[in-house]
Amino acid sequence: MDNQQRKNNSLLVHVLGLLILVTFCKTASADDSAVKADTATPPGIVCMMNWAQTFYPSLFSPPVSGVQFASPYIYRYYPGTNAYVGVSSTDNHVYYQGPSDATPRDMGDLSLLLKESGCGEKPYPIIFVHGIASSADTWATYREYLINNAGWTFGGIPAFNPAAKTVTISCPADSMGCTGSAGNFYTANFSDNQELPLDVQGGELAVIIQAVLDANPGATKVLLIGHSTGGLAAREYLQGLARVFDSSTAIPYRDDVARLITIGTPHQGSFWAETCHVNFDIFDIFDKVGICDLLPYHIDSNSVSIRDLQPSSSALDVLNDLTTHPLPANVSYVSIIGTGQPTLTGLVDFKEGDGIVTDTSQNLIAVTGELPLELKSAKIDIPFRECGNKIKVPVIGSVGQTHTCETTDIDVGAEILRNLQ
C-alpha cells in the first residue's frame, strides 16, 4: 500500500526535483535562423508540454500553443516565467531551465514523464462516473482539457435508458471532437441517482461498461473514475452486487475493469447523510439551523441515495462485507482523498476531510485493511472556491465543504493523470 499526501508546494518540488519537462538548449533561441515551427512533433511531447503549463502555471506561463526546435531539441519558451522546457532527440530526456538556472537540468527519461502526465499509451477506455445529484457535466472542464490539450478522443456520454434497459452514447452540443462511438474516454450519466439505490446505480454502470466495450472493438477492460457515490456504484458492480432496477438478480462481475480510481467517495458513509435524513429527536436542531444546506446540489435529504449513504445503512453494511462480497484481486484501486475542510463526525466532533466526507471514509484502504489487493491513496488539500459552500452554525461556527470542487480541482486532475497507467 502506498499512502501519499500531496499539497501544492510539494507537488511543485516533486515536479522540479524528479520529473519535469523537456530538453532544450537556452542558447539555441538566440539564433533566429535555427528556431522555427515544428510540424512533426510527436503528439505525446505536445501533450506533456500542455500538461505542464496547465497544471503548473507558476512555472510555465503564459500558455504556449506551438513548439520550436533547434536540433536536437524540441522546446517551448515561457516569457512570463522565463523558463524553457524541451526534449532532446539525442537521449530522449526531458530538460528544464528556469530563470535561476545557468544550464538546463536533465529531468529524466521522457517515458517516465509521459506516464506522469497521462500522455503515454492508453490501453483501456476510461469512464468517468458522476456522484449524487450530479451528471456527466461535472467532468466538463476536465473533458475539454483532455480533448484540447491532451489530444484524447472523446467517445461521448453513455446514458442508461431504464425503460429499454439499453445505453445510448451521445455527444454534448458544446463539445468538439466527440465521436459518439469509439474513444479514449467517456463521461457516464445515470438515469436518476437520487432515487436509485447504490446497487441499481451499479447495474446501470454495468450496462454502460458493456456499451463502451462494444464501441471499442478489441478492448477487453475499462478504467473507472468515480466521484463521490460514483465510486460506490463502481464497487457495487465489481463486488457482484449490482442489479437492474426491477430485478433482484445480481449482475456478476465480468472481469472487465482494470482499475478503479475513487475521488471523495464515502466508502464508510457520511455523517451528513445520517443527520439530514432523519427528522426527529436531537437531530431536529440541524434542520432548524440550516445545517443540511451544506449538502451540495440541492440534494433531497430524504432520497434513497442519502439513505444508502448513512454509515449504518444496510447498503454499506453489505458493500463493506468484503468476506462475503470481495473486491476483485486483479483490479488496482486508488483513493484520491479531498481534505482541507473540517468534517463533522458527530454533533460537535470533527475530523479531516472535504466538509462532507471524512478522509478516513474516503480511503478504501480503511475498509480493506490488510487484504492482498493493489491499493494506494493520495490526499489533496482542496482550496475553497465558489464551487463549494459555507454555512454558520450556532456554537460550532462556520462549516464549509469543497466536496463539489473535487472534479474541477487542478491537483485532483493531476493526480488522476498520474494514476492512469
Side-chain angles (χ1 to χ4, degrees):
M1 302 177 192
D2 177 14
N3 213 5
Q4 51 184 321
Q5 183 171 1
R6 291 182 172 90
K7 296 185 173 67
N8 290 346
N9 290 340
S10 61
L11 266 170
L12 297 181
V13 171
H14 172 74
V15 172
L16 282 173
L18 295 176
L19 295 159
I20 255 191
L21 311 148
V22 196
T23 307
F24 128 102
C25 183
K26 186 173 183 178
T27 57
S29 63
D31 181 1
D32 290 341
S33 64
V35 179
K36 53 187 176 181
D38 176 25
T39 58
T41 305
I45 292 177
V46 174
C47 172
M48 182 201 57
M49 291 180 174
N50 290 340
W51 166 83
Q53 66 189 29
T54 299
F55 293 99
Y56 304 101
S58 63
L59 296 177
F60 308 103
S61 66
V64 176
S65 59
V67 296
Q68 294 176 305
F69 74 91
S71 182
Y73 303 107
I74 300 170
Y75 71 94
R76 280 180 178 175
Y77 172 62
Y78 295 89
T81 52
N82 191 24
Y84 294 81
V85 62
V87 174
S88 170
S89 60
T90 300
D91 59 6
N92 216 33
H93 276 215
V94 172
Y95 290 82
Y96 165 83
Q97 184 163 346
S100 61
D101 296 320
T103 58
R105 304 187 205 181
D106 184 346
M107 309 312 295
D109 192 279
L110 172 63
S111 63
L112 296 178
L113 194 56
L114 290 179
K115 290 182 179 180
E116 174 86 1
S117 60
C119 295
E121 183 183 0
K122 304 172 185 63
Y124 308 111
I126 298 169
I127 304 174
F128 290 83
V129 188
H130 65 79
I132 186 172
S134 186
S135 71
D137 289 342
T138 193
W139 303 106
T141 299
Y142 205 64
R143 177 192 75 202
E144 295 310 306
Y145 166 77
L146 293 176
I147 295 172
N148 298 323
N149 293 285
W152 289 25
T153 300
F154 180 42
I157 301 175
F160 183 81
N161 182 330
K165 297 184 176 61
T166 58
V167 168
T168 300
I169 301 177
S170 62
C171 291
D174 61 346
S175 180
M176 302 294 291
C178 175
T179 68
S181 182
N184 299 130
F185 76 105
Y186 301 78
T187 55
N189 254 344
F190 291 113
S191 62
D192 178 345
N193 77 331
Q194 286 218 62
E195 293 304 330
L196 294 181
L198 291 174
D199 56 353
V200 175
Q201 291 182 46
E204 293 195 359
L205 182 58
V207 183
I208 287 171
I209 290 171
Q210 187 58 59
V212 167
L213 290 174
D214 290 343
N216 291 272
T220 58
K221 293 179 183 286
V222 300
L223 192 153
L224 299 176
I225 301 174
H227 178 239
S228 193
T229 53
L232 297 179
R235 285 185 55 198
E236 293 280 355
Y237 169 59
L238 288 168
Q239 294 173 232
L241 293 165
R243 65 181 178 88
V244 177
F245 74 97
D246 59 354
S247 172
S248 60
T249 302
I251 299 172
Y253 171 56
R254 299 182 297 255
D255 193 29
D256 51 10
V257 176
R259 177 169 298 177
L260 170 62
I261 299 174
T262 61
I263 306 165
T265 292
H267 294 289
Q268 298 184 67
S270 169
F271 173 75
W272 293 105
E274 181 176 42
T275 301
C276 296
H277 186 70
V278 297
N279 295 300
F280 57 90
D281 296 334
I282 195 169
F283 293 110
D284 280 345
I285 189 173
F286 288 99
D287 279 335
K288 290 176 181 177
V289 300
I291 200 168
C292 296
D293 293 339
L294 193 68
L295 291 174
Y297 298 135
H298 307 292
I299 289 175
D300 179 2
S301 61
N302 290 309
S303 67
V304 171
S305 290
I306 288 291
R307 178 200 67 196
D308 281 358
L309 289 175
Q310 297 177 66
S312 59
S313 74
S314 59
L316 287 181
D317 285 345
V318 171
L319 188 62
N320 289 333
D321 180 0
L322 299 185
T323 301
T324 306
H325 308 287
L327 286 161
N330 63 344
V331 176
S332 61
Y333 303 90
V334 179
S335 301
I336 298 178
I337 301 165
T339 60
Q341 298 295 322
T343 304
L344 275 171
T345 59
L347 296 180
V348 291
D349 298 322
F350 287 88
K351 284 193 66 176
E352 184 61 273
D354 61 14
I356 297 294
V357 188
T358 66
D359 58 350
T360 301
S361 183
Q362 294 180 56
N363 194 348
L364 184 57
I365 294 172
V367 176
T368 62
E370 298 299 322
L371 290 176
L373 298 168
E374 183 183 340
L375 296 139
K376 67 180 290 190
S377 63
K379 288 187 177 182
I380 306 290
D381 272 354
I382 313 294
F384 187 84
R385 295 178 285 131
E386 291 183 358
C387 47
N389 63 302
K390 289 183 178 180
I391 60 172
K392 281 191 175 182
V393 181
V395 180
I396 295 175
S398 292
V399 179
Q401 68 86 12
T402 53
H403 183 79
T404 50
C405 297
E406 288 161 347
T407 58
T408 55
D409 181 77
I410 191 169
D411 290 334
V412 169
E415 191 64 34
I416 290 173
L417 294 172
R418 186 175 292 116
N419 286 282
L420 293 182
Q421 299 177 15

